[in-house]
PDB file of all heavy atoms in Angstrom:
ATOM      1  N   ASP A 325     -82.919 -23.552 -53.713  1.00 97.00           N
ATOM      2  CA  ASP A 325     -81.730 -24.270 -53.278  1.00 97.00           C
ATOM      3  C   ASP A 325     -80.664 -24.096 -54.370  1.00 97.00           C
ATOM      4  O   ASP A 325     -80.833 -24.562 -55.494  1.00 97.00           O
ATOM      5  CB  ASP A 325     -82.128 -25.736 -53.088  1.00 97.00           C
ATOM      6  CG  ASP A 325     -80.969 -26.629 -52.723  1.00 97.00           C
ATOM      7  OD1 ASP A 325     -79.807 -26.199 -52.834  1.00 97.00           O
ATOM      8  OD2 ASP A 325     -81.230 -27.787 -52.336  1.00 97.00           O
ATOM      9  N   VAL A 326     -79.604 -23.413 -54.029  1.00 97.00           N
ATOM     10  CA  VAL A 326     -78.608 -23.022 -55.025  1.00 97.00           C
ATOM     11  C   VAL A 326     -77.208 -23.431 -54.573  1.00 97.00           C
ATOM     12  O   VAL A 326     -76.834 -23.221 -53.422  1.00 97.00           O
ATOM     13  CB  VAL A 326     -78.646 -21.488 -55.225  1.00 97.00           C
ATOM     14  CG1 VAL A 326     -77.541 -21.033 -56.182  1.00 97.00           C
ATOM     15  CG2 VAL A 326     -80.004 -21.034 -55.741  1.00 97.00           C
ATOM     16  N   MET A 327     -76.431 -24.003 -55.474  1.00 97.00           N
ATOM     17  CA  MET A 327     -75.017 -24.268 -55.201  1.00 97.00           C
ATOM     18  C   MET A 327     -74.192 -23.211 -55.939  1.00 97.00           C
ATOM     19  O   MET A 327     -74.475 -22.896 -57.090  1.00 97.00           O
ATOM     20  CB  MET A 327     -74.617 -25.649 -55.711  1.00 97.00           C
ATOM     21  CG  MET A 327     -75.204 -26.805 -54.937  1.00 97.00           C
ATOM     22  SD  MET A 327     -74.996 -28.383 -55.806  1.00 97.00           S
ATOM     23  CE  MET A 327     -73.233 -28.684 -55.578  1.00 97.00           C
ATOM     24  N   GLY A 328     -73.174 -22.712 -55.280  1.00 94.00           N
ATOM     25  CA  GLY A 328     -72.324 -21.794 -56.009  1.00 94.00           C
ATOM     26  C   GLY A 328     -71.661 -20.785 -55.114  1.00 94.00           C
ATOM     27  O   GLY A 328     -71.889 -20.790 -53.905  1.00 94.00           O
ATOM     28  N   PRO A 329     -70.848 -19.895 -55.670  1.00 96.00           N
ATOM     29  CA  PRO A 329     -70.503 -19.859 -57.094  1.00 96.00           C
ATOM     30  C   PRO A 329     -69.595 -21.029 -57.475  1.00 96.00           C
ATOM     31  O   PRO A 329     -68.735 -21.424 -56.681  1.00 96.00           O
ATOM     32  CB  PRO A 329     -69.756 -18.524 -57.226  1.00 96.00           C
ATOM     33  CG  PRO A 329     -69.178 -18.282 -55.875  1.00 96.00           C
ATOM     34  CD  PRO A 329     -70.163 -18.859 -54.896  1.00 96.00           C
ATOM     35  N   LEU A 330     -69.773 -21.554 -58.680  1.00 97.00           N
ATOM     36  CA  LEU A 330     -69.011 -22.715 -59.122  1.00 97.00           C
ATOM     37  C   LEU A 330     -68.184 -22.381 -60.360  1.00 97.00           C
ATOM     38  O   LEU A 330     -68.503 -21.464 -61.120  1.00 97.00           O
ATOM     39  CB  LEU A 330     -69.961 -23.873 -59.441  1.00 97.00           C
ATOM     40  CG  LEU A 330     -70.865 -24.377 -58.302  1.00 97.00           C
ATOM     41  CD1 LEU A 330     -71.780 -25.488 -58.804  1.00 97.00           C
ATOM     42  CD2 LEU A 330     -70.028 -24.877 -57.126  1.00 97.00           C
ATOM     43  N   GLY A 331     -67.143 -23.154 -60.537  1.00 97.00           N
ATOM     44  CA  GLY A 331     -66.349 -23.052 -61.764  1.00 97.00           C
ATOM     45  C   GLY A 331     -65.263 -22.007 -61.710  1.00 97.00           C
ATOM     46  O   GLY A 331     -65.102 -21.280 -60.734  1.00 97.00           O
ATOM     47  N   ASN A 332     -64.534 -21.972 -62.810  1.00 96.00           N
ATOM     48  CA  ASN A 332     -63.440 -21.037 -62.990  1.00 96.00           C
ATOM     49  C   ASN A 332     -63.885 -19.945 -63.929  1.00 96.00           C
ATOM     50  O   ASN A 332     -64.253 -20.214 -65.063  1.00 96.00           O
ATOM     51  CB  ASN A 332     -62.267 -21.764 -63.653  1.00 96.00           C
ATOM     52  CG  ASN A 332     -61.168 -22.020 -62.679  1.00 96.00           C
ATOM     53  OD1 ASN A 332     -60.846 -21.152 -61.882  1.00 96.00           O
ATOM     54  ND2 ASN A 332     -60.596 -23.204 -62.754  1.00 96.00           N
ATOM     55  N   GLY A 333     -63.865 -18.722 -63.472  1.00 96.00           N
ATOM     56  CA  GLY A 333     -64.349 -17.617 -64.294  1.00 96.00           C
ATOM     57  C   GLY A 333     -63.294 -17.074 -65.235  1.00 96.00           C
ATOM     58  O   GLY A 333     -62.289 -17.728 -65.521  1.00 96.00           O
ATOM     59  N   PHE A 334     -63.564 -15.874 -65.731  1.00 97.00           N
ATOM     60  CA  PHE A 334     -62.640 -15.218 -66.662  1.00 97.00           C
ATOM     61  C   PHE A 334     -61.449 -14.642 -65.897  1.00 97.00           C
ATOM     62  O   PHE A 334     -61.634 -14.007 -64.849  1.00 97.00           O
ATOM     63  CB  PHE A 334     -63.356 -14.048 -67.359  1.00 97.00           C
ATOM     64  CG  PHE A 334     -64.501 -14.470 -68.226  1.00 97.00           C
ATOM     65  CD1 PHE A 334     -65.817 -14.310 -67.792  1.00 97.00           C
ATOM     66  CD2 PHE A 334     -64.275 -15.007 -69.496  1.00 97.00           C
ATOM     67  CE1 PHE A 334     -66.878 -14.679 -68.602  1.00 97.00           C
ATOM     68  CE2 PHE A 334     -65.340 -15.366 -70.310  1.00 97.00           C
ATOM     69  CZ  PHE A 334     -66.645 -15.206 -69.857  1.00 97.00           C
ATOM     70  N   PRO A 335     -60.240 -14.809 -66.427  1.00 96.00           N
ATOM     71  CA  PRO A 335     -59.102 -14.131 -65.791  1.00 96.00           C
ATOM     72  C   PRO A 335     -59.241 -12.628 -66.042  1.00 96.00           C
ATOM     73  O   PRO A 335     -59.567 -12.215 -67.152  1.00 96.00           O
ATOM     74  CB  PRO A 335     -57.892 -14.713 -66.536  1.00 96.00           C
ATOM     75  CG  PRO A 335     -58.424 -15.217 -67.829  1.00 96.00           C
ATOM     76  CD  PRO A 335     -59.864 -15.573 -67.610  1.00 96.00           C
ATOM     77  N   LEU A 336     -59.046 -11.845 -65.033  1.00 94.00           N
ATOM     78  CA  LEU A 336     -59.249 -10.400 -65.155  1.00 94.00           C
ATOM     79  C   LEU A 336     -57.954  -9.722 -65.584  1.00 94.00           C
ATOM     80  O   LEU A 336     -57.048  -9.532 -64.780  1.00 94.00           O
ATOM     81  CB  LEU A 336     -59.735  -9.834 -63.820  1.00 94.00           C
ATOM     82  CG  LEU A 336     -61.083 -10.377 -63.349  1.00 94.00           C
ATOM     83  CD1 LEU A 336     -61.433  -9.838 -61.969  1.00 94.00           C
ATOM     84  CD2 LEU A 336     -62.183 -10.042 -64.349  1.00 94.00           C
TER      85      LEU A 336
END
Side-chain angles (χ1 to χ4, degrees):
Chain A
D325 176 347
V326 176
M327 290 167 73
L330 301 178
N332 254 318
F334 296 103
L336 298 176

